[in-house]
Amino acid sequence: MTTTPETNTIPEAPAMPAHASVATLPEGVSLPLPQQNLSFEQEREVRKQELAAAFRLFARFGFSEGVAGHITARDPENPSAFWVNPFGMSFRQISVSDLILVDHDGTLLEGRRPVNNAAFCIHSEVHRARPDAVAAAHTHSVHGKAFSSLGVPLQPITQDACAFYEDHGIYSDYRGVVNDTEEGRRIGVALGDGKAVVLRNHGLLTVGSSVAEAAWYFITMERSCQAQLLAMAAGEPHLIDPDTARMVRDQISGALPGWFQFRPLWDQITAEEPDLFQ
């Protein structure tokens, strides 16, 4: 990593990402926080490292399905281009150096392998529709696929599901493998200003102001879909009332909570698979 750590970073923590500093709490307890005011090069390094880590974690969670699935990160210097996994490469093997850079016209700017056309068609339009979104994640995870077939929103039946209450859309116009940017544009419209969208008969898509945030919301949304499917199979789930659901959403979700909840997974994967930095 090329970033020079600030004076308040923890020197004995080699797995600390390039953009993490430490906030000192009144009792002397410290927590990592996103570092601010990075150069383009430093921010690019951060995003690519988190992207590679996210792919490794998605593989561990079983979110991969053949060549399907992609996570993208907008380039900080060229926001009309994004970093993405190369077509046909296992999530389990992706390292920083494997990532490719593609612009919104589908032109390969950096990398040795082609882009998945569906990734370009979906993500280019999602990034275009949401300039605030640094990253977007979409895979064919099992419970996300199953839940998407219902064509219904996630219900506030658990604390974790409240993160998505009134903050995700449904795209109901499945027309096969996404091969044109017009469908990507319609997905962007269905996403709106939310953190996620359920793609009926297809799966889930989440966005975030960091790769960590987008990846975390995909992981927890997939698990919330699993919880709702289990609850519905067992009976009639009891819903959390709207006011409480909104309050909990505001307590547990957002850019910083999403980034922070990804930290334990980051620590685990970078300690166990440091080759992802290659």
Side-chain angles (χ1 to χ4, degrees), residues 4-5 34 38 42-44 116 119 124-125 130 133 202 218 221 227:
T4 301
L38 298 180
Q42 291 169 332
E43 182 61 33
R44 182 180 297 114
N116 182 331
S124 63
E125 293 303 313
R130 288 289 299 276
H202 190 169
F218 191 94
M221 190 176 196

Side-chain angles (χ1 to χ4, degrees), residues 27-102:
E27 297 80 10
V29 178
S30 58
L31 291 172
L33 290 172
Q35 196 176 84
Q36 304 299 314
N37 303 316
L38 298 180
S39 68
F40 288 139
E41 292 78 11
Q42 291 169 332
E43 182 61 33
R44 182 180 297 114
E45 179 184 34
V46 164
R47 295 181 186 185
K48 292 174 71 176
Q49 289 176 355
E50 287 190 344
L51 203 53
F55 283 119
R56 298 290 185 101
L57 287 165
F58 277 27
R60 289 199 177 193
F61 280 109
F63 294 167
S64 58
E65 182 91 6
V67 301
H70 11 87
I71 314 173
T72 53
R74 192 190 301 274
D75 186 78
E77 188 172 11
N78 180 8
S80 64
F82 53 86
W83 295 92
V84 64
N85 49 310
F87 185 47
M89 187 171 188
S90 168
F91 286 5
R92 192 175 299 277
Q93 296 179 313
I94 291 175
S95 298
V96 169
S97 61
D98 296 310
L99 300 170
I100 62 176
L101 183 66
V102 181

Side-chain angles (χ1 to χ4, degrees), residues 1 45-46 63 77 81 84 109 116 120 168 179 190 192 238 256:
M1 292 186 259
E45 179 184 34
V46 164
F63 294 167
E77 188 172 11
V84 64
L109 303 178
N116 182 331
F120 158 68
H168 68 289
N179 282 319
H238 178 76
L256 182 57

Side-chain angles (χ1 to χ4, degrees), residues 14 88 93 170 211 216:
Q93 296 179 313
I170 299 177
V211 176
W216 167 252

